[in-house]
Amino acid sequence: MRSVGTLTRADLADTVHHKVGLSRADSLTMVESILRLMCESMSKGENVKISGFGTFLLRDKGERIGRNPKTGIEVPITPRRVLTFRASQMLKDRVSGS
């Protein structure tokens, strides 16, 4: 049962259940384990690459000066770590229909 417009954890688990033949509970446990491992790796500062899908990259952004759009006053923006996703060429081709 695919949700309309959004792929959920339950959808992933259901697909694993149908294609691999694991029980629904085991399928959900597998999906949760994979997602947990990805989150743990990124929280340790590691990038996550899934071949044929893409790479989750962590970038450290330095402090910079920003501007409050309402008042025009300059304010410092603190350094932070951001998560970005870079799609693989294979995924880009599939999405664009090539």
Side-chain angles (χ1 to χ4, degrees), residues 14-73:
D14 195 47
T15 300
V16 170
H17 167 70
H18 289 297
K19 295 213 176 195
V20 178
L22 294 175
S23 70
R24 288 186 192 276
D26 288 344
S27 298
L28 185 57
T29 301
M30 178 186 282
V31 169
E32 291 291 339
S33 295
I34 292 168
L35 294 175
R36 183 174 47 255
L37 180 61
M38 290 173 62
C39 289
E40 288 171 2
S41 296
M42 287 184 278
S43 68
K44 293 177 191 172
E46 301 172 9
N47 294 326
V48 175
K49 181 175 183 174
I50 301 173
S51 181
F53 183 70
T55 305
F56 295 90
L57 298 165
L58 293 168
R59 283 189 26 219
D60 290 317
K61 296 180 97 176
E63 184 173 350
R64 61 190 173 93
I65 299 296
R67 188 177 309 272
N68 181 330
K70 198 174 207 177
T71 63
I73 297 173

